[in-house]
Amino acid sequence: MRDDLQLLIISSPSGAGKTTLTRRLLSAFPDFIFSVSHTTRAPRKGETDGSDYHFVAREEFVRLRDEGAFLEWAEVHGNLYGTSLAELDRARSLGKRGILFDIDYQGARQIKAKLPSVTAVFILPPSLRELERRLRSRGSDDDETIARRLAKAKAEIEHYGFFDYVVVNDDLDRATADLHGIVRAERCRRTQRALEAEALLRE
Ligand code: ADP
Ligand code: 5GP
């Protein structure tokens, strides 16, 4: 069986618009699933266990990690986060064509090392000033959390050079079109079309 699951990583500093762009991508491409990560952080208001994250205690996370359950894992903002290998099986068993990972640059590096066909996209805010405005307008974090996220933003942006594509989320519709264009272009890669080409040659 051909395993042509399209693997897409989206990373960004907090507040750049990754959640907004990811939601739009999943509704435009229903043949993608969102990879549900495990995390030791507490659920935020409105988050659902099993669909936003699998929320687990630190001991449970460490047990799973030591059993080899994760494709990648990392510590982010003091909490542990990981992508379980079971998510790839879930995508395949649902007959999906792609899987989208919302993970940080540390996880992106680990997945790229194991699965080089992955496409890694980094979302940039148009400026740090606008990033701060968006973090405040979201209204989900207190001043201290916002200050911490802003301080971390530059450290995350420093890793942009590792990614295959960089999308600047200034105008939301344009950034959405860029991201969708990347997904479509990746689907037209020769390696993704080999079966179709070979079938024609056999006709
Ligand atoms: P992230 O998931 O990267 O932390 P969000 O998607 O939650 O970011 O976006 C942060 C805030 O910025 C949200 O209030 C969202 O509505 C807003 N936002 C996202 N993209 C844009 C954009 N292009 N222009 C203006 N506001 C945006
Ligand atoms: P949040 O707690 O705001 O949902 O996410 C914080 C950061 O952790 C984000 O940068 C997000 O992309 C990253 N993250 C979420 N899940 C994973 C994961 O499974 N692995 C890694 N490496 N990072 C993750």
Side-chain angles (χ1 to χ4, degrees), residues 77-178:
H77 309 313
N79 291 300
L80 301 178
Y81 293 83
T83 303
S84 73
L85 285 158
E87 286 301 286
L88 296 176
D89 296 335
R90 185 167 70 89
R92 291 184 188 112
S93 66
L94 288 170
K96 295 287 179 173
R97 184 161 177 196
I99 180 163
L100 189 158
F101 306 98
D102 168 347
I103 60 175
D104 84 326
Y105 68 90
Q106 307 174 79
R109 277 184 183 277
Q110 294 171 53
I111 295 189
K112 193 94 171 171
K114 289 180 182 166
L115 304 168
S117 67
V118 70
T119 306
V121 182
F122 196 77
I123 312 292
L124 276 183
S127 66
L128 292 181
R129 207 186 149 90
E130 171 64 8
L131 184 66
E132 178 169 3
R133 195 199 62 76
R134 287 183 194 169
L135 283 170
R136 292 198 184 285
S137 74
R138 193 164 60 176
S140 63
D141 299 309
D142 58 28
D143 282 355
E144 193 196 320
T145 309
I146 289 176
R148 206 173 52 233
R149 286 177 187 261
L150 275 174
K152 289 230 165 186
K154 267 198 181 173
E156 286 170 40
I157 294 170
E158 273 173 7
H159 298 276
Y160 83 91
F162 164 77
F163 289 79
D164 301 303
Y165 296 93
V166 177
V167 171
V168 179
N169 181 20
D170 41 13
D171 176 75
L172 184 58
D173 287 336
R174 219 221 62 256
T176 301
D178 283 356

